[in-house]
Amino acid sequence: MLDGRAAPEVLATYDEERRPSANAAIDFSMELGKVICVPDAAAAAARDNAMTAAYDGGISDVPGLPGIASGLIAAGAPLAGEVFPQGEIDGRWFDDLHGVGWRFVTVDADWTGLDRSLVGWLETIGGAVINVTSTAIDLFTWFEIQDVRWALQRPDFHLFGTAKDLDGATALLAELRRQLRPTPSS
C-alpha cells in the first residue's frame, strides 16, 4: 500500500472490516459490566450466590467475534473473512514455523499446476505457498472438515478465501492480485 505494492484504497477497507468486531467487543463488555458493576450490596450478594450455585467447575465459552464480511476478502468464497486456525506442526505453532504474511496453505501434495506467475507475484508481497501434510493433524483435519484443499490466509490471520481445487486456488490468487493491484493513477 504505502510502498506501492497495493492500491491506497485498500487502507480504506480497514474500518469496514474491523467495525463489526469492535462493536461486538464493546457490546459484550457493556453487558459484562452490567453483571459486574452492581452497586447495591444485597443485589450483588444475590448475583454472587446465583453464580456460585450455577458454577459447574468448567470454563464458560466467550462468544466469538464476527468474521470480516467485506473489504479485502474474496466475497463469495467459502470461509472468506473467518479466522484461520493456528495449527500445530511437530510441536510448534504454524506461525512460528512459517512466519506471518500472506500464506496460501494447501493440503494438496502436488500443486505444480498453480500458475507460476501468480506464485511469483505472491512472493513479491511477502507471501508463500505452504503445503501441510497429514502430520499437521489439526490443520489437516480442519481442511477435511471444511471440505477445502486451499486456504489463503491474510497477514491478520483471517482468510481471504478458500478453494476446493487447483482451479479455484488459481482464481483465488488472481482475485487477490486484482484487489491489491495499484490503480494506474496511484
Side-chain angles (χ1 to χ4, degrees), residues 96-113:
D96 291 341
L97 286 171
H98 299 291
V100 296
W102 289 97
R103 299 293 177 250
F104 208 5
V105 186
T106 184
V107 292
D108 282 346
D110 180 18
W111 50 272
T112 55

Side-chain angles (χ1 to χ4, degrees), residues 76-171:
L79 305 170
E82 298 299 317
V83 175
F84 188 60
Q86 169 67 294
E88 193 175 322
I89 301 171
D90 299 326
R92 294 187 59 203
W93 292 114
F94 178 86
D95 298 337
D96 291 341
L97 286 171
H98 299 291
V100 296
W102 289 97
R103 299 293 177 250
F104 208 5
V105 186
T106 184
V107 292
D108 282 346
D110 180 18
W111 50 272
T112 55
L114 189 60
D115 183 320
R116 287 288 166 221
S117 67
L118 287 171
V119 172
W121 171 81
L122 179 65
E123 291 169 353
T124 69
I125 63 168
V129 178
I130 298 167
N131 178 248
V132 295
T133 65
S134 59
T135 61
I137 296 168
D138 47 356
L139 276 177
F140 202 80
T141 301
W142 179 87
F143 277 93
E144 288 179 344
I145 290 169
Q146 301 304 328
D147 191 29
V148 296
R149 308 290 295 169
W150 293 83
L152 184 48
Q153 176 189 286
R154 298 166 22 140
D156 65 357
F157 310 108
H158 287 83
L159 289 167
F160 179 77
T162 60
K164 292 179 179 268
D165 56 27
L166 196 57
D167 289 340
T170 299

